[in-house]
Structure formats: structure tokens, C-alpha cells
Amino acid sequence: MTVAAASTAAFSQESGAIRFVDVTASSGIDFVHNTGAFGQKWLPETMGSGVVLFDYNGDGKLDVLFLNGTKFPGKPGRSSTQQLYENLGGMKFRNVTKAAGLAIEAYCMGGAAGDLDNDGDQDLYISCVGNDILLQNEGGEFTDVSAAAGLSREYEFGASVALLDADNDGLLDIFATRYVTWTPETDLICRLDGKNKSYCTPEPYEGASPRFYHNTGDFTFVDWTRQAGLFEPDAKSLGVAVMDLDDDFWLDLAVANDTQPNLLFHNNGDGTFEEIGLIAGMAFDENGVARGGMGIDAADYDGSGRQSLVIGNFDGEMVALYHNVGDMLFIDSAAPAKIGRPTLPNLSFATFFFDYDLDGDLDLLVANGHLEPEIETIKANVTYAQPTQLFRNDGGRFTEVTDSSGGDLATPRVARGAAYADLDQDGDLDVVISTNGGPAQVFENTGDHGNWLQVDVEGAGGNRDGLGAVVEVVAGGVNQRWLLRAGGSYLSQSQTAPIFGLAGAAKLDSAAVVTRTGTKPLANPGVNQRVRASATEIRLQRARTPPR
């Protein structure tokens, strides 16, 4: 979103008037994450998992998919599957995992949803430890088409996923991060206290390149990782965010790496990429050190018209706020933006920008939780369970409001994935958080908010989700822009349709959908409603041949 200077001058929100309330018990969601732990502290056990918010059955309400682990082959423990909860309305859900064909026993981490075959429903790509899974949706029932679609059968450690039309051919491609090179046979022994085995950080493991699958149509994909310039064998990637660095409608990718330099892939305008993280200033911290990057998000939080980046990092490393200063250059502004010191003690996984109070600028959520249950005996002032932090945007700087507006978010937990959506269709954004080895939680956004507008974009002829299009809204003299994308946060996906906070504006000055080929105005939608826009400029083109 782009927010003009002093965008909220006419709208003041009293601290504490909005609160996030834990409604998990009454919602019908009873998911508990299975780490597969059996006493040996294998690396994957402490890293998962994510949550995907998407409309699996096309009824207009966002459903909740929790990715899940299971016991390791030949080891003790309990078997478990992925879990899908259908949204019944009114913040009520029911488990429809078996009926939807998602009772899949696999050790999975994250995922993303999108209409990969342009038939009008949402398909799924799920990243796993072992083999990733591609699921085709036919009327709310999913079929595993991984092998036929051309996915790799190599044993890999999957992490976050993004769906994007990289070459503007009208078909969504798949970018899947890989954490490290790990198998049950190569698990290493690390000791925090010099005696007992602890969970390893990624340093002793070899890296692993992300994978990029080009969509050739008919639900088949070709691995174009090398051809597209995305092969990075030293990467240890956990998070990915889709962005448009230079507003050319050729989508770029920002990747958060754990103890390796972050990556920034700039689209060359033909579906191939150049990695520019170092020269762009977001590969390292201000001292030239690679941090423990986890989750990531991209948005215009300061009204500059440019997308900046936020990255969650390890404890002792503040959350990174890479401010986009133009010309594809970034400066870490976490300290002056006042999110540096409050996040320093925490290990931050999921993080994202969202307008929780609907005042017209983007706030920030950071979900925290450590890897090592015994960390409190090793490090002073660092805990295993940690509060999720909420920061209100005050003109491009942030004020932590965890204890006031954060409500039940402030309760310490071992958080991993997190996503936002208007789950109860009242116009404000609710939050879902998954925890490692514990129960997932649903938080309802309650209280008095600004006015709002949700815009559902549908592409015509190709890219039915409209991903890569930009929605522009002007209200009360404030200009906001939102790039439609799938994936992000940490192993998770939030609502893709933008909800614009309009503060006290009682009407819109203008609204439009912008694509690579033009602008389509929307016919004066009113406030506090959900409208549908058809991006007729998004057209299906002939599938490209592999880049050279």
C-alpha cells in the first residue's frame, strides 16, 4: 500500500480500543502440531509449521489449512496428517480434511494456494521434508498430482512457497525454498551446554538451492531453476516474498536466509532473474554479517510508493526493516523505526505488514518463539515461549502496542507460522498462529476501526487469481496501492485480496485495478463493503520455451 504523508491525521485510534481476542476454543479449530520428536532432537522437529488461508470450496469465505509433521519412518511417535478447516461463517469452523482429500501423512512445513490450472478453484503446493506435494482442486476435492506434474523426487527440506506468474504468460509458476541439505542419516549432533544434544543451527549443514517450476499448462511443470537464474546452492532459505522492485509488472523475489546472505532476485523482464541482494543492501546487517533470517514480507509501510522489506531474525538480532530508498537500494531502518530494540531478545519467525486498525497505514506483527526448550538455562533474558508482538504504524515509525491492542497475542507461545485474513467477514483482519508442537490459535480482531474496502480481483482468460495486479484506492486524499501475491510470512499465506483501511473517509475518490497493459477504473465503490473487479487486461499468452 502507498500511504500519503500524515495519512491518519483525520483519524485517531485510542490505544487499547482494538484488541485481538483468542477465540480458538469456540471456533471449532482444535489443531495441534506434531513435531515427530522422539528424543533425538532432529533438525526438522523445531522448524514447523505454517498455515494457509484460502477459499478451498469457492463459497467466498477463507478456510484454514494447517501444515503438519508426522512421525519419522521407523521411529516411535504418532502418525498425523495435514488438517483443513472449513469456514462456516461467524468465526466457526469444521474439520473437512478427509472429505477434501487432504488426509495426507507427510512431514510438511509450508504451502501456498492459487489457481494453477485457471479453472476457477484454488490448488495447493505443499513443501515437505522429503518430497513436496502438488494438489489439484476439482470442486473442493484435492488429488495428488506431484509425480505427473513433474515435481522432483529428490529428498529435500522444503520451507516457504510463493506462486507467481514470472514470465507474464498467464500461468502461475512455483518458487519453493529449501532450508538445508538434511536427511535422517545425516542429522548432526550439536551441544549448547557442551554435554547434552541440542537442536543445531544451520551452520554445520550444507545449503540447498530453491526450486523454480515453470508452469507449461495442463498441470505440468518444468524445473527451470538454473535456466531462470535462481540456482543458489549455498542458500539456507526459509522465507520468500513476492514484490515488484521497479514497478514494471515483472515480479521479483526476496528471500530470507538463515545464517547466509539474504537474496533479492530481480526479474529481467523475460522470466529470468538476476540476484542483486548484496548491491541492493539487504543481504547483510549494517555490519556486513549474515543474520538468522526466518519470515519475510514486502509492503509500502511509509507512504513512499516503494515496497520495503521486513525480516524476522534469531535472538540477539533485531528484526530487519529494509527501507526501500529508491533505485532498488535498501537501508536497514529497524532502529530509527523503533522496532529494533523491542525485537532484539526474541527469535522471530512469522512477520507481516497489515492494517489492523484500518487507519490507512500498515502496521506490523512479529510472531516469536525459540528453537531450544532449554534456552533459558543457557541464555539470560531469553525464553522458549515468547509473546507475539504488535506494532502500530505512526507515520513510518512504529509503537509497540502488544500489551494494549495486542490483547491475547501477548501470551507467550512457541510461534512459527502466522497469517491474517478477514475470517468473520466484518471488514477487519483477524490472525491465525501455528505453534511448534502445540495448539494453533485464532485471534479475532475486535473493537472500533476505520472504514474499509475489500477488492476481490479476478483475471480474465488467464491467471484467474489476478496475482501480480495492483489495486489502487484513493480516499480522503490518501493514495494506497496493493500488489496481489500468494505466499509470504513464514511457511504461510494470508488473504490475497486487499482490504484497504480508509480511516474516517466516508467515500472513495477513486479505485482501479492496474496491470502490465493498463488501468481499469472501478465504478465508485462505497465504503465498508466487498467488491469484485475483473482485471480484463490479464490475458493468457502462449507458454514460453525455456530461457537460455
Side-chain angles (χ1 to χ4, degrees):
M1 291 184 179
T2 299
V3 186
S7 64
T8 61
F11 179 82
S12 70
Q13 180 65 58
E14 292 184 8
S15 177
I18 297 171
R19 294 186 69 82
F20 284 90
V21 177
D22 186 346
V23 296
T24 312
S26 62
S27 72
I29 289 179
D30 55 1
F31 174 76
V32 177
H33 177 242
N34 181 10
T35 68
F38 60 100
Q40 295 301 307
K41 294 196 172 184
W42 280 6
L43 181 64
E45 296 170 4
T46 192
M47 300 304 296
S49 61
V51 53
V52 178
L53 306 183
F54 75 117
D55 184 3
Y56 94 95
N57 57 0
D59 66 355
K61 298 185 291 291
L62 292 185
D63 310 297
V64 184
L65 173 69
F66 293 103
L67 288 310
N68 202 5
T70 188
K71 68 176 183 178
F72 292 97
K75 302 300 179 182
R78 64 181 177 91
S79 299
S80 56
T81 72
Q82 321 314 307
Q83 295 291 311
L84 177 66
Y85 291 83
E86 180 187 5
N87 190 337
L88 303 176
M91 204 61 88
K92 301 293 183 181
F93 299 83
R94 68 174 175 181
N95 194 317
V96 293
T97 304
K98 290 183 179 180
L102 291 175
I104 300 168
E105 184 183 349
Y107 201 108
C108 295
M109 302 296 292
D115 192 355
L116 291 166
D117 53 1
N118 284 321
D119 67 349
D121 51 25
Q122 299 285 291
D123 309 298
L124 281 169
Y125 185 98
I126 299 175
S127 68
C128 304
V129 177
N131 300 128
D132 288 359
I133 302 171
L134 184 60
L135 295 149
Q136 187 172 23
N137 187 347
E138 295 290 349
E141 295 184 11
F142 292 88
T143 302
D144 185 346
V145 296
S146 309
L151 266 60
S152 169
R153 296 292 90 190
E154 295 181 26
Y155 194 102
E156 295 180 316
F157 194 149
S160 293
V161 180
L163 306 181
L164 71 158
D165 183 0
D167 57 358
N168 284 321
D169 66 351
L171 296 169
L172 295 181
D173 309 302
I174 301 166
F175 182 87
T177 65
R178 297 290 181 259
Y179 187 31
V180 294
T181 300
W182 181 92
T183 67
E185 294 75 27
T186 59
D187 188 76
L188 300 175
I189 296 177
C190 299
R191 293 182 173 90
L192 278 176
D193 59 5
K195 297 183 297 182
N196 301 302
K197 184 178 181 183
S198 62
Y199 289 109
C200 290
T201 58
E203 284 99 334
Y205 289 97
E206 293 183 4
S209 177
R211 284 194 182 268
F212 176 71
Y213 293 104
H214 172 70
N215 190 338
T216 61
D218 299 322
F219 229 91
T220 58
F221 294 80
V222 178
D223 188 338
W224 279 8
T225 308
R226 292 178 183 270
Q227 296 94 320
L230 295 168
F231 183 67
E232 294 284 342
D234 296 326
K236 298 178 180 180
S237 305
L238 286 172
V240 57
V242 178
M243 62 189 308
D244 188 355
L245 279 169
D246 43 7
D247 294 322
D248 62 354
F249 290 96
W250 291 91
L251 296 176
D252 312 299
L253 291 162
V255 178
N257 275 332
D258 190 359
T259 71
Q260 286 291 104
N262 299 317
L263 302 170
L264 185 60
F265 294 107
H266 178 238
N267 197 319
N268 294 317
D270 60 1
T272 68
F273 296 82
E274 178 186 8
E275 203 288 299
I276 61 169
L278 179 60
I279 61 174
M282 56 76 68
F284 301 99
D285 69 7
E286 59 185 7
N287 297 314
V289 177
R291 289 184 278 198
M294 309 293 176
I296 186 172
D297 196 20
D300 176 16
Y301 75 91
D302 63 344
S304 65
R306 300 179 293 268
Q307 289 180 295
S308 296
L309 291 165
V310 61
I311 300 177
N313 291 311
F314 206 76
D315 74 81
E317 301 171 339
M318 64 182 67
V319 164
L321 184 65
Y322 290 109
H323 176 217
N324 189 336
V325 297
D327 296 324
M328 294 191 289
L329 294 174
F330 295 82
I331 296 175
D332 192 348
S333 299
K338 299 183 178 180
I339 66 170
R341 185 177 295 275
T343 60
L344 193 60
N346 296 327
L347 201 169
S348 303
F349 277 89
T351 183
F352 52 73
F353 295 105
F354 73 140
D355 188 357
Y356 82 89
D357 53 4
L358 301 177
D359 67 349
D361 55 14
L362 293 175
D363 313 298
L364 181 65
L365 181 139
V366 182
N368 306 304
H370 214 278
L371 301 172
E372 182 56 60
E374 289 81 33
I375 191 62
E376 297 169 33
T377 66
I378 307 298
K379 289 187 177 182
N381 302 319
V382 178
T383 60
Y384 181 49
Q386 300 172 350
T388 295
Q389 295 173 286
L390 182 66
F391 295 89
R392 186 182 65 233
N393 191 335
D394 294 321
R397 293 188 177 185
F398 293 87
T399 300
E400 185 172 4
V401 292
T402 306
D403 292 335
S404 55
S405 294
D408 291 336
L409 293 173
T411 302
R413 62 187 56 85
V414 187
R416 292 296 183 263
Y420 63 84
D422 182 10
L423 294 173
D424 50 2
Q425 297 184 307
D426 62 354
D428 56 42
L429 294 169
D430 312 297
V431 171
V432 181
I433 297 178
S434 65
T435 65
N436 184 254
Q441 293 170 298
V442 182
F443 299 91
E444 183 178 1
N445 188 337
T446 66
D448 297 326
H449 304 82
N451 292 326
W452 57 276
L453 175 73
Q454 176 172 326
V455 182
D456 297 314
V457 178
E458 181 179 357
N463 186 1
R464 291 283 292 271
D465 296 313
L467 298 179
V470 172
V471 181
E472 292 186 345
V473 167
V474 181
V478 177
N479 179 24
Q480 302 183 55
R481 303 177 74 240
W482 188 262
L483 173 70
L484 274 70
R485 63 263 173 88
S489 184
Y490 176 75
L491 309 177
S492 299
Q493 178 172 309
S494 295
Q495 175 172 323
T496 58
I499 290 183
F500 295 94
L502 306 176
K507 65 176 183 178
L508 277 79
D509 301 320
S510 65
V513 178
V514 185
T515 68
R516 186 168 56 94
T517 56
T519 300
K520 181 180 181 181
L522 303 182
N524 296 320
V527 302
N528 299 331
Q529 64 174 310
R530 181 176 178 179
V531 299
R532 180 170 294 277
S534 176
T536 56
E537 296 84 1
I538 302 174
R539 298 189 179 92
L540 182 64
Q541 302 174 4
R542 182 174 59 85
R544 286 171 34 81
T545 55
R548 292 181 172 83

